[in-house]
Amino acid sequence: MNMSGSGAPPWKVAWITGASTGIGRELAMLLARRVETVAISARSTDKLEELASTDPRLHPVPLDVTDAQAVAECIGAIERDAGPIDLAVLNAGTWTLLDRADIDLAAMRAGIEVNYMGVVNALAALVPRMRERGSGHIVIVASVAGYRGLPRSAAYGPTKAALINLAETLKSELAPLGITVSLVNPGFIDTPMTRENPFPMPGLMPAPAAARALLDGLEKRQYEIIFPRGFVRAVKLLRILPNRVFFWYVSRFVMGRSKR
Ligand SMILES: NC(=O)c1ccc[n+]([C@@H]2O[C@H](COP(=O)([O-])OP(=O)(O)OC[C@H]3O[C@@H](n4cnc5c(N)ncnc54)[C@H](OP(=O)(O)O)[C@@H]3O)[C@@H](O)[C@H]2O)c1
């Protein structure tokens, strides 16, 4: 097992969802230097093909992660063509800003379907296969937004909180079966997802640096991988604040902050 970033890579076949842009795209390019086959999934076939044209180790497998059957077929096809997936990075995600208690059913349902059920759909097909082999590394990309309920995040934060909870359950349950689970909680990363945000984003990190930090954490087989570290640690502190102090902090420092 490679623990240092040098020597033989720990995985032969990797699969990344949400690989057409942002963190997933950058991670795919990094992994292609170290892993024999990197299957890249998202809905945008054109972007996947353009990315795959940069490296013969990248293989586009277009997919909508909300379609459970398509996800199962995609995983079956990758394993048939390339061999067992030993690293699965479940990274596809969507973010819609909801402000001022705007309960937008479509946005909230999309958040659950893509961010949460998109991961569950992959787990349903991956876990039995990895369990049978007694090996595999599953990576769930959540967010600092899942640590506590924050303004404007009603369609997003709850889905990431659910993923953080799910990853904890899976870590304990899958370890005895030889399956590693990692949880990724990024802070603000400069990707298409955040480009239109109308509020200040402290510690905004370029996507290539985020992907590098993610890969470093995976190679060290860390459970929770965070970047940028200073900002994420600060947000994580909110988890231990008493409610009274937390709500005071949010009303004083987070509510109503806007760049516009
Ligand atoms: N950027 C940040 O500040 C930040 C912070 C914390 C966590 N995260 C998380 O990091 C992950 C990557 O986000 P990013 O910042 O790199 O954003 P991004 O550039 O918008 O990437 C999102 C990816 O998900 C794919 N996707 C969306 N819906 C999909 C669906 N139904 N089926 C398959 N793929 C789908 C998109 O591709 P298509 O549109 O082509 O399908 C795209 O490749 C997400 O889970 C996000 O929540 C991001």
Side-chain angles (χ1 to χ4, degrees):
M1 185 61 57
N2 178 37
M3 305 287 283
S4 64
S6 60
W11 317 284
K12 279 204 169 109
V13 178
W15 176 49
I16 309 176
T17 68
S20 61
T21 58
I23 300 167
R25 184 178 197 277
E26 297 295 331
L27 181 66
M29 290 192 289
L30 285 181
L31 274 174
R33 295 184 204 150
R34 316 195 23 77
V35 178
E36 279 173 22
T37 301
V38 182
I40 47 175
S41 291
R43 292 163 304 174
S44 308
T45 308
D46 52 340
K47 289 185 186 143
L48 294 178
E49 283 174 354
E50 183 268 326
L51 177 59
S53 71
T54 65
D55 195 307
R57 291 179 164 197
L58 294 170
H59 299 270
V61 192
L63 177 68
D64 185 333
V65 295
T66 65
D67 181 341
Q69 194 182 331
V71 172
E73 285 168 8
C74 164
I75 289 167
I78 295 167
E79 296 212 336
R80 216 172 29 249
D81 294 347
I85 294 171
D86 27 43
L87 174 69
V89 184
L90 309 179
N91 162 77
T94 185
W95 146 256
T96 305
L97 185 153
L98 292 188
D99 216 353
R100 310 286 166 196
D102 178 11
I103 305 298
D104 179 331
L105 265 184
M108 294 180 90
R109 187 167 286 130
I112 292 285
E113 285 298 327
V114 178
N115 297 354
Y116 185 71
M117 289 309 298
V119 168
V120 173
N121 290 338
L123 292 171
L126 276 172
V127 170
R129 290 169 181 268
M130 289 184 172
R131 184 180 187 149
E132 202 176 309
R133 300 194 281 267
S135 67
H137 192 163
I138 293 172
V139 183
I140 294 177
V141 180
S143 167
V144 288
Y147 287 150
R148 286 204 80 159
L150 294 167
R152 307 186 181 95
S153 294
Y156 184 77
T159 68
K160 297 300 188 176
L163 288 177
I164 291 171
N165 191 296
L166 176 70
E168 282 174 7
T169 298
L170 294 176
K171 161 107 175 87
S172 308
E173 289 186 342
L174 298 184
L177 307 175
I179 303 170
T180 304
V181 173
S182 292
L183 167 69
V184 182
N185 285 324
F188 290 114
I189 312 302
D190 187 8
T191 70
M193 184 175 279
T194 50
R195 236 151 255 166
E196 300 299 318
N197 281 347
F199 48 81
M201 292 183 278
L204 184 70
M205 190 181 201
R212 183 71 254 170
L214 204 173
L215 182 56
D216 284 349
L218 295 182
E219 287 182 334
K220 291 176 188 142
R221 297 169 77 82
Q222 285 171 353
Y223 170 63
E224 187 178 11
I225 301 168
I226 59 172
F227 47 84
R229 282 200 193 139
F231 175 72
V232 177
R233 283 190 183 130
V235 179
K236 207 170 181 183
L237 276 180
L238 297 178
R239 293 220 288 200
I240 55 169
L241 289 183
N243 286 337
R244 200 167 43 84
V245 182
F246 170 71
F247 291 125
W248 170 83
Y249 175 86
V250 168
S251 68
R252 178 84 179 72
F253 294 106
V254 186
M255 286 290 286
R257 294 193 77 198
S258 174
K259 287 197 288 195
R260 285 180 187 149

